[in-house]
Amino acid sequence: MSKKILLLLSCFMALTLQAQLQKITLEESVLQQGRKFGADKLSGFQWLPNSNQYIYVTDFWKKIVIASAQNTNASTWTTTEEINSSLNSKLGNLFGIIAIDNQNIIVNSNNVFYKYNVASKKGTKYVELPQNAENITWDNAFLKVAYTIENNLYVNDGTSTINITNFADKNIVSGQSIARNEFGIKEGIFWSPNGNDLAFYQKDETDVAEYPLLDINETPGKLNAIKYPMIGQKSEKPRVGIYHFNSGTTVYINPKNNPEDYLTNLAWTPDAKYLIIAELNRGQNDMCLNLYDASLGKFTKTLLNETNDRWVEPEHPAFFPSKSSNNFVWISEKDGFNNLYYYDIEGNLLKKLTNNKFPVREIIGSNAKGTEIYFKATGEKGINMLGYKVNLKGKQSLITKNEGVHNVQVSFDGNWVFDEYSNHTTPSKSLLYNNKGVATTLLESKNKYEGYQIGSAEITTIKAADNTTDLFTRLIKPSNFDASKKYPVMVYVYGGPHAQMITNSFLDGANLWMYWMAEQGYLVFTVDNRGSDNRGNAFESVIHRNLGTNEIEDQLKGVAYLKSLPYVDANRIAVHGWSFGGFMTTSLMLRKPDVFKVGVAGGPVTDWKWYEVMYGERYMDTPLENKEGFETASVLNYVKNLKGKLLLIHGTNDDTVVEQHNLALVKKFVEAGKQVDYFPYPMHKHNVMGKDRVHLIEKVLNYIIENNK
């Protein structure tokens, strides 16, 4: 058989196979990435307290199964049907179950909490909270539960309710996260280890300006005013309350310096005598880790101090390896990368435990003796998330044996590690490691995309605009990619702090709709420029006082790389991004108008003076301190440069990047006589979610396809 015939036969077979594969619809690509196409995992995995047994849920969160480190053959522990039959409850699923021990769990049915014994199959109603109760937080013994209603804090002990705060003034907010969830703050309620005291964040928003949001569901429309502290303006005043149950009294801790300084990273010492709190100045370049007497709320001493010409950003509370000692581990970036430092309660450095040239991401736990600390870190490659352990002498070892993005949980005695990960070729794999590093496979997911037309992603590196730093790139190609053809490109950009678009996970950190876009005959490209996450302080802080400048130059290096590829149509490059990515999209379209033919910017920051204090002042300082930086970064100053087609999108109830950003930009375009397209998503906040997200992605991608010709 001739080579020509073989080639024709090969092409015919490839086309036949392609025709047999199913196509993923746009709706599926938006809504089904984690459902229909989601990898099989041990959902809801948790170690049972003081045990080597573990549980997880199956059957669409309607069944709990149990196994142990010694016997990994899982068996049914309980089901929603079983629990509902016993308690006469109406549980629809087992989201949020809390295991008290290896027999008892707490389940929640519409804020009615039941204590259920799995062995006896009996239970009782434990506590019923109001339907509008939020921020529900149990003490360590599961005897008392704290919660908030509107802006006040309450505790229910099963028999009575205690009003911890009772402020009629709506400007005083207790028991909720503060500082708009910056500095690692995710919650506002902190039980002492013995449950005798309750610490909580409180903020006074009296001086914070109100921002108007319109509720169009009312007739006439109704004003919804939120508190929004903008850069350079008055901010919230934080303090920490400590309620003592024995005396029924509350003491308060205020910032030692400026009332608008930040209090964050709150931690109780194991003996419940002290609180450790990080106080950060509003300028965010001077942090004191302070020790307070919990009984009186009195300052005891400063344990350590960190300063930086750019910023100091504490994100993790003190971690105590042992329950019998107040010695603690602090995560600090002072040497350029997040590393672990071991201190005594007097603030003396006992040991720098890690000395990595890559960042620690978070501490996972410690062994029963408190001699080994488990943590997650990127490793040297930068796009992984791996599991490590280090002892108190500084001996570090890698737990996870495969590259990828790992979720790691350590048993209570520290002898077993559950590891669930994915990487470029692995949808998901669940492993159990013993203390000798030997792994047992619990579950390995099949590839749910088999049988579908889906392209592939290539991860590589290019040099940043400094011609020294490596940047990761991701290029998604269609399943029928032909290197002899010329393809248009959609550049998907974020580019801002605390985000990493490219990871060594399945689909390489991309959204499934990007693969759908590739199937329409596109290349979809992303580069994580300097300023993005998980690469250390020097990489991330190059953006200080000049948001957009270095990021744009790095993105242009990505474009130059694209243009070097023989199969890229250099005249048909589009760009799309949301939030900081929206800022980058408008910046690229206006500051580099000859590069991109089409742009779609969602929820963009257009002038940083309208963004929030906590995030914005870290990176830009204030307009008074950095007039030139704000002027350079404001995309409003470049509207006359627009050459390509531009679509602007915003949620009308966006309380993160308020719509003023986009409307002000549209106004500037009108004044300059420039035509742009604008599409609002009524009543949506910063992200368009739910079924409306299908409409959003269709709007974005169709706009690019129709105009990038």
Side-chain angles (χ1 to χ4, degrees), residues 480-525:
N480 61 350
F481 175 74
D482 182 348
S484 67
K485 293 182 178 180
K486 292 281 189 180
Y487 290 88
V489 182
M490 183 188 80
V491 174
Y492 179 77
V493 61
Y494 184 80
H498 289 287
Q500 184 181 31
M501 297 295 100
I502 303 164
T503 58
N504 185 16
S505 56
F506 205 57
L507 299 192
D508 301 287
N511 293 307
L512 182 55
W513 60 259
M514 297 177 188
Y515 286 83
W516 180 91
M517 185 63 166
E519 290 305 296
Q520 312 315 304
Y522 260 77
L523 302 175
V524 182
F525 179 76

Side-chain angles (χ1 to χ4, degrees), residues 194-209:
N194 55 22
N196 292 335
D197 307 290
L198 181 70
F200 57 94
Y201 284 136
Q202 187 180 92
K203 60 181 177 180
D204 180 350
E205 296 184 302
T206 302
D207 295 333
V208 177

Side-chain angles (χ1 to χ4, degrees), residues 416-553:
W416 301 88
V417 175
F418 171 71
D419 172 29
E420 197 163 63
Y421 76 95
S422 74
N423 58 33
H424 179 77
T425 57
T426 307
S428 182
K429 192 171 185 178
S430 308
L431 303 171
L432 187 65
Y433 285 97
N434 64 18
N435 57 7
K436 295 181 180 179
V438 179
T440 300
T441 299
L442 303 178
L443 179 67
E444 187 165 8
S445 179
K446 69 175 185 179
N447 182 357
K448 300 293 183 68
Y449 297 103
E450 288 183 356
Y452 288 88
Q453 290 180 20
I454 185 169
S456 59
E458 295 176 0
I459 308 300
T460 188
T461 60
I462 62 173
K463 291 300 179 184
D466 64 2
N467 293 317
T468 301
T469 308
D470 284 334
L471 304 177
F472 288 101
T473 72
R474 179 184 64 225
L475 184 63
I476 301 173
K477 298 177 179 179
S479 58
N480 61 350
F481 175 74
D482 182 348
S484 67
K485 293 182 178 180
K486 292 281 189 180
Y487 290 88
V489 182
M490 183 188 80
V491 174
Y492 179 77
V493 61
Y494 184 80
H498 289 287
Q500 184 181 31
M501 297 295 100
I502 303 164
T503 58
N504 185 16
S505 56
F506 205 57
L507 299 192
D508 301 287
N511 293 307
L512 182 55
W513 60 259
M514 297 177 188
Y515 286 83
W516 180 91
M517 185 63 166
E519 290 305 296
Q520 312 315 304
Y522 260 77
L523 302 175
V524 182
F525 179 76
T526 294
V527 55
D528 276 330
N529 51 247
R530 287 172 297 161
S532 56
D533 206 9
N534 287 331
R535 298 287 301 277
N537 183 262
F539 184 94
E540 295 163 20
S541 68
V542 70
I543 64 177
H544 188 234
R545 292 171 63 90
N546 288 288
L547 287 179
T549 299
N550 287 299
E551 301 96 309
I552 287 173
E553 296 306 315

Side-chain angles (χ1 to χ4, degrees), residues 107 111 142 206 216 355 442 477 506 516 554 608 671 707:
V107 295
N111 275 4
F142 303 101
T206 302
I216 66 166
N355 194 31
L442 303 178
K477 298 177 179 179
F506 205 57
W516 180 91
D554 285 354
W608 285 98
E671 292 169 354
N707 290 286

Side-chain angles (χ1 to χ4, degrees), residues 283-330:
Q284 300 190 44
N285 56 11
D286 192 336
M287 187 278 297
C288 290
L289 189 64
N290 293 331
L291 184 70
Y292 292 88
D293 182 311
S295 62
L296 302 173
K298 296 293 185 183
F299 170 77
T300 299
K301 69 182 302 181
T302 295
L303 301 175
L304 58 96
N305 171 253
E306 292 184 26
T307 61
N308 190 288
D309 291 340
R310 293 179 175 177
W311 65 71
V312 179
E313 188 179 6
E315 293 186 275
H316 307 274
F319 175 78
F320 302 91
S322 172
K323 294 180 180 179
S324 61
S325 170
N326 285 347
N327 291 351
F328 66 94
V329 177
W330 183 249

Side-chain angles (χ1 to χ4, degrees), residues 287 289 303-306 316-321 326-345 347-358 360 363 373 375 390-392 394:
M287 187 278 297
L289 189 64
L303 301 175
L304 58 96
N305 171 253
E306 292 184 26
H316 307 274
F319 175 78
F320 302 91
N326 285 347
N327 291 351
F328 66 94
V329 177
W330 183 249
I331 299 178
S332 172
E333 200 177 35
K334 63 185 178 182
D335 70 351
F337 297 91
N338 271 344
N339 275 298
L340 304 181
Y341 298 79
Y342 187 44
Y343 290 90
D344 67 21
I345 200 61
N348 298 307
L349 178 62
L350 303 176
K351 181 73 176 178
K352 183 181 180 183
L353 298 179
T354 64
N355 194 31
N356 297 318
K357 298 301 181 184
F358 53 82
V360 170
I363 295 175
I373 296 107
F375 63 94
V390 64
N391 65 22
L392 298 182

Side-chain angles (χ1 to χ4, degrees), residues 13-25:
M13 292 176 65
L15 289 171
T16 302
L17 178 61
Q18 187 79 5
Q20 291 174 344
L21 295 174
Q22 297 183 63
K23 292 183 178 180
I24 297 173
T25 67

